[in-house]
Amino acid sequence: MAWDFSTDPEFEEKLKWMRGFVRDEIIPLETLDLDRETFARITAPLKEQVKDQGLWAAHLPPELGGGGFGQVALGLMHEILGQCRYAPGIFGNQAPDSGNAELLSIGGSDEQKERWMHPLLRGELRSCFSMTEPGAGADPTMLTTRAVRDGDEYVINGHKWFSSNASASDFLIVMVVTDPDAPAYQRASMIIVPTGTPGVDVVRDIPVMDHPEIGGKLYGGHAEVVYRDVRVPVENLVGNPGDGFKLAQQRLGPGRIHHAMRWLGQSRRAFDMLCERAVSRTASGSRLADKQMVQDMIATSAAEMQAARLLTLHAAWTMDQVGAANARIEIGMIKYWGARVLHDVIDRAIQVHGSLGFSGDLPLEHMYRAARAARIYDGPDEVHKESVARRILRGYTPVDVPTEHIPTRTEAARAKFAEYLQAATADA
């Protein structure tokens, strides 16, 4: 099947508008020290412009309030949005809200969509995805948070952390064990928990590298949450009991595509700074652009970014053709490759800028801190590499003699072409 990453001219015009809008209206916000109220006032009219362009919440189909774009188109959009950490929110597809909306669109009941998903898409609510635990990070089969049914309610007890946006959310989607005796990938379920429910204790926002201050000024941080005898109606179960792992995979697949394309946007911004510095700075009698080591940085960065872009677009195209479940190798590869490229390009840009790149006078130092998380969230690189390798190796079978063993192949070739070889011998 031929690959095709092309988009129609009308959509290309949308991308062109996005590039100018992000560059001229959103990136300048990075330089201002804003509180949430002022930030909300400034960005409200920007969000209206996005809606007027038909680009708000582009990750869901039109009947659910989204834009109805496929993964290739969404990937190209996220490449632009990735240039600035504020851009996804102004386009209505910031994490974890976009992923939670996708999860509810897949597994939510009509009532759940009306009460939670549609307000989330309209930007009236904020949400949290509460899965990771202190003892269960990359392996969701080790979750211990329990939900026990008691009549018409579930009673939840457990300890979560790195629950992104919990401190600023209106509701949490919590991954809990509902049947500890079921097979490993059928034990867990997803349950909607309003943040103000008695027993929900958002203990703290955990300081992290990309914002070491407690929490975030303009958005929620990565929270530690304790659930103590939290009671919610049975109707808050998303999908069926035991659907938790399946829903998590359906939620995270598209999210990894979007992350990888946003990383490309960040990489490109760092690359532009790297090249600008190379042609502007003189050292030891010549421009940095004339130094072979700097040229190597530029050439390597360009090749790595192009490889990451093609890998990501191919994964997006594969998802559009056959669905996320059949694109796990492609999705896994872009996760670890894209994360590495993001880190390395930013690192080279800092190196070429020297102490200026290390300082807060350029965005590179913050980009570098944020980039380090890319190798951890949505599954650490090592887990994705292991998964990709396992799936690839399923296509191979063990043999006693290597398939390419030359003596064995020679014997088979002689038997195959014996008539010709005998004729050649006779002619001689």
Side-chain angles (χ1 to χ4, degrees):
M1 187 183 299
W3 303 347
D4 184 4
F5 307 149
S6 63
T7 56
D8 59 66
E10 182 181 354
F11 184 73
E12 289 296 326
E13 286 299 311
K14 295 289 188 184
L15 294 178
K16 181 179 179 181
W17 180 86
M18 286 180 64
R19 292 186 190 100
F21 186 73
V22 170
R23 180 188 64 243
D24 299 335
E25 305 296 335
I26 300 180
I27 289 179
L29 293 172
E30 293 177 346
T31 64
L32 304 177
D33 185 16
L34 302 172
D35 57 35
R36 290 191 187 187
E37 291 73 19
T38 305
F39 184 78
R41 285 196 298 272
I42 291 174
T43 56
L46 300 181
K47 292 177 181 179
E48 290 304 315
Q49 291 185 57
V50 172
K51 292 175 182 178
D52 291 341
Q53 290 287 328
L55 296 172
W56 178 264
H59 51 288
L60 289 181
E63 63 269 20
L64 296 177
F69 299 99
Q71 292 301 328
V72 169
L74 284 172
L76 294 170
M77 292 174 65
H78 280 283
E79 184 178 19
I80 298 169
L81 299 182
Q83 297 176 70
C84 177
R85 62 187 182 274
Y86 300 142
I90 293 172
F91 278 74
N93 54 27
Q94 72 281 359
D97 295 333
S98 58
N100 287 340
E102 287 181 297
L103 187 152
L104 290 172
S105 75
I106 296 166
S109 65
D110 290 342
E111 181 182 354
Q112 289 170 350
K113 290 174 183 176
E114 186 64 30
R115 182 177 178 185
W116 305 108
M117 189 192 74
H118 290 299
L120 190 61
L121 285 171
R122 293 192 296 265
E124 298 167 2
L125 296 178
R126 296 297 311 276
S127 67
C128 166
F129 187 60
S130 188
M131 181 180 76
T132 304
E133 297 179 4
D139 186 357
T141 65
M142 297 176 65
L143 295 174
T144 61
T145 298
R146 286 291 312 277
V148 178
R149 183 161 180 171
D150 182 17
D152 294 332
E153 295 180 317
Y154 278 110
V155 182
I156 302 172
N157 283 280
H159 182 196
K160 301 283 189 180
W161 70 347
F162 292 101
S163 291
S164 300
N165 205 48
S167 61
S169 69
D170 298 287
F171 69 96
L172 313 101
I173 297 181
V174 190
M175 192 163 175
V176 295
V177 176
T178 48
D179 185 358
D181 299 321
Y185 293 103
Q186 298 172 24
R187 296 173 187 164
S189 304
M190 299 284 190
I191 297 178
I192 299 171
V193 178
T195 308
T197 303
V200 176
D201 181 10
V202 181
V203 179
R204 60 174 180 141
D205 277 334
I206 301 166
V208 292
M209 282 181 68
D210 63 334
H211 50 91
E213 70 277 8
I214 302 299
K217 289 182 63 176
L218 303 180
Y219 47 87
H222 306 284
E224 181 177 7
V225 185
V226 176
Y227 300 88
R228 298 185 181 90
D229 294 325
V230 176
R231 289 182 173 269
V232 296
V234 169
E235 291 75 19
N236 284 24
L237 178 75
V238 181
N240 299 308
D243 280 354
F245 186 82
K246 179 177 71 174
L247 288 169
Q249 288 298 104
Q250 289 173 309
R251 177 190 187 277
L252 292 172
R256 288 170 181 142
I257 295 280
H258 305 162
H259 277 313
M261 289 303 282
R262 285 197 290 266
W263 296 339
L264 283 170
Q266 280 281 290
S267 300
R268 182 69 209 197
R269 196 172 167 194
F271 182 76
D272 288 342
M273 285 187 269
L274 163 61
C275 293
E276 181 184 73
R277 181 69 166 182
V279 299
S280 304
R281 181 74 166 180
T282 298
S284 301
S286 64
R287 297 181 311 164
L288 294 181
D290 298 324
K291 314 286 188 187
Q292 288 186 346
M293 293 186 70
V294 175
Q295 291 170 353
D296 179 79
M297 290 181 183
I298 293 167
T300 300
S301 296
E304 289 177 349
M305 288 192 301
Q306 180 71 344
R309 192 171 195 267
L310 291 173
L311 275 173
T312 307
L313 287 173
H314 179 250
W317 176 85
T318 304
M319 288 179 66
D320 282 341
Q321 300 300 311
V322 296
N326 297 306
R328 289 179 179 172
I329 289 178
E330 291 82 359
I331 293 171
M333 285 195 295
I334 64 167
K335 169 62 176 65
Y336 60 76
W337 178 259
R340 194 188 85 175
V341 171
L342 172 69
H343 173 274
D344 290 352
V345 173
I346 295 172
D347 184 72
R348 294 176 192 126
I350 291 174
Q351 192 72 12
V352 167
H353 281 84
S355 57
L356 178 61
F358 187 70
S359 77
D361 284 0
L362 289 178
L364 287 168
E365 63 87 21
H366 182 273
M367 291 164 64
Y368 186 82
R369 287 186 281 117
R372 186 58 185 87
R375 293 180 54 204
I376 298 173
Y377 56 61
D378 282 356
D381 288 0
E382 293 77 9
V383 170
H384 288 287
K385 288 180 178 180
E386 181 184 31
S387 176
V388 166
R390 283 202 315 267
R391 290 179 182 279
I392 290 173
L393 290 172
R394 289 174 189 171
Y396 295 83
T397 55
V399 295
D400 293 328
V401 177
T403 303
E404 295 288 347
H405 185 243
I406 290 177
T408 304
R409 291 170 55 207
T410 301
E411 182 179 349
R414 283 174 177 162
K416 181 179 179 69
F417 301 109
E419 179 181 347
Y420 299 97
L421 294 173
Q422 288 171 0
T425 303
D427 291 342

